[in-house]
Amino acid sequence: MGLRKVAVVGAGMTQFVRRAQETPKELAFKATRAALDSCELSIQDIDAICLGTAPDTFDGIHMNGEYLSDGVGALGKPYIRSYVGGGTGVFVPIQGWYHVASGLFDLVLVVAEEKMSSYYPHPQGAFLTIFDHTTERPLKPNLLWIFALEMNRYMATYGISKEDIAQVSVLHKRNAADHPAALLGDKKITVQDVLNSEVLAWPVQRLDVSPVSDGAVAIVLAAEHVARRITDKPIWIEGVGWSLDTAYWTNRDLAYPRYVEVAAKMAYEMAGIKEPRKEIHIAEPYDPFDYKALHHLEGLQLADRGKAIELYLNGSAKRDGNLPICPSGGLLGVGNPIAAAGLMKIAELFWQLRGEADGRQIPGSPQKGIAQAWGDLMQVGTVVIMGK
Amino acid sequence: MNAKNRYYPINSLPESAFQDGSILFSFDTFNTRYAWDCGVAIGEYLAGLREGKIIGSTCPKCHRTMVPPRLFCEWCYQPVHHFLPLLDTGTILTFSLCYVSWDVQRITEPEIPAVIAIDGASKNHGILHKIGEIEPEKVHIGMRVRALWKAPEDRTGDITDILYFKPE
Ligand SMILES: [Zn+2]
């Protein structure tokens, strides 16, 4: 295809918290600085910058990408902000990837920042405008409806129980207890805790949902010849894919994320992966809700339809299992500052594949990992495959 | 690799900081107003609702009947001109019992949003609406429902001209 090889050579992140005192610019600065320090680069070394952050509504700042630009070191550099809703955190490294793969730039900084807490007192209101203004908004919907409707359809189509789905939340929140930046890590959480938590929009309960959070993550991408000068452990971006389903969401098959399938197949083909279930050693599917991790694992072709839960029930999903899932702790445990949450998954694959994930490290030298995010009007799939 | 630079601590604020004045903050609200054109296809839909009908549109190429109606088929990318009334009955594809209002207030009697496949539209082509006149625990996927309309003189050409769907 005439594309250059692209490596991740550095990564850094802030803690994820419910409410940060730091402004969005300050959060973005801290994550960016941490990523540059991790590979001993300075901002002068960087050729271009890609930023991901959510709709301007969260911050109440029109042209939020421009507002953030100083915090991510964009002064005087080619700079672009992308936003594909919740899918942003895995889309912005794809954007960074084509900046480098195309030959246009050698070193690109990729930053994702989200401060949800400014929308007061709760950011849910910021999401109301995703519903159609004429055919849906007069019904006074809230964001939980759409997830509850999808979760119920998924459970009913395949006959999956709430008890089983709660295993996802339990594993991810337990995993997050080992993540130094996590908001909701909990080693002792049980299925019963999830089932006893407040019912928000049945079948969705409080502990089925990831927490509203503030935070930022940054990574550094390098062309092959530069990457090898910076580190002896580059982690390659081997495949990328993204795809959109229809915005007429009530006409879709809510039990299966076809948009993830299309994105995953694009990424597998690019990475030369024919048998994902054998060749992928770590999966970081997008998990803003516990059932979504299952939905997405099926879209990623890592489980048959309706069967992803078996990976949790038979132990495969654990860090020492056959296919560790969300060893980071995921959005359910580390937190869900929208765009930053997806890039956290990319950073996790980077650290895991380098053997630098500390207490979260997967045993046995994993070779390839996949990260995925989902968003827009519940319709976009974004996928990145990384390898040693 | 300098491991200590990977995770950067930040200052986590408790909600009480906004009440007790221990931090400085500024507060603002926006008053944004819009007048949205409903467009050609949704214009047909709303005019139908005012007449007590649910209007769909049919693609000349793949022949599927869509609801809400549109002026194009996004599957075939063809123009669509054929609008037709569907039935006001359907089947619950999925539902929720929601205990949280649109502004995150807790409510005791759950709202019951649902995606309802409309009779006369293609398979699994549903619309978002609410279910009423039923005990919440009796609602189930696959249940047959019928629209409950406002009185003709009260209809304005709005999705709320249907109050809710109730068991058939
Ligand atoms: Zn068509």
Side-chain angles (χ1 to χ4, degrees), chain B residues 59 61-62 64 73 75-76:
Chain B
C59 171
K61 188 160 185 212
C62 68
R64 72 172 169 137
C73 172
W75 291 4
C76 312

Coordinates of all heavy atoms in Angstrom, one line a residue, chain B residues 59 61-62 64 73 75-76, ligand 1:
Chain B
C59 N -38.4 2.3 -0.3 CA -37.3 2.4 -1.3 C -37.6 1.7 -2.6 O -38.0 0.6 -2.6 CB -36.0 1.8 -0.7 SG -34.6 1.7 -1.9
K61 N -35.6 0.6 -4.8 CA -34.6 -0.3 -5.2 C -34.7 -1.6 -4.3 O -34.9 -2.7 -4.8 CB -33.2 0.3 -5.1 CG -32.2 -0.6 -5.7 CD -31.0 0.1 -6.1 CE -30.0 -0.9 -6.8 NZ -28.6 -0.5 -6.6
C62 N -34.5 -1.4 -3.0 CA -34.5 -2.6 -2.1 C -35.9 -2.9 -1.6 O -36.1 -3.9 -0.9 CB -33.5 -2.5 -1.0 SG -34.0 -1.2 0.3
R64 N -37.6 -1.9 0.8 CA -37.9 -1.9 2.2 C -38.8 -0.7 2.6 O -38.7 0.4 1.9 CB -36.7 -2.0 3.1 CG -35.9 -0.7 3.1 CD -34.8 -0.8 4.2 NE -33.9 0.4 4.0 CZ -33.4 1.1 5.0 NH1 -33.7 0.8 6.3 NH2 -32.6 2.1 4.8
C73 N -32.8 6.2 0.7 CA -32.6 5.0 1.4 C -31.1 4.9 1.7 O -30.3 5.0 0.7 CB -33.0 3.8 0.6 SG -32.4 2.2 1.3
W75 N -29.3 2.5 2.7 CA -28.7 1.2 2.3 C -28.3 1.3 0.8 O -27.3 0.9 0.4 CB -29.7 0.1 2.4 CG -30.1 -0.3 3.8 CD1 -29.6 0.4 5.0 CD2 -30.9 -1.3 4.3 NE1 -30.1 -0.3 6.1 CE2 -30.9 -1.3 5.7 CE3 -31.6 -2.3 3.6 CZ2 -31.7 -2.2 6.4 CZ3 -32.4 -3.2 4.4 CH2 -32.4 -3.2 5.8
C76 N -29.3 1.8 -0.1 CA -29.0 1.8 -1.5 C -28.6 3.1 -2.0 O -28.2 3.3 -3.2 CB -30.3 1.4 -2.2 SG -31.2 0.0 -1.6
Ligands
ZN1 ZN -33.0 0.8 -0.5

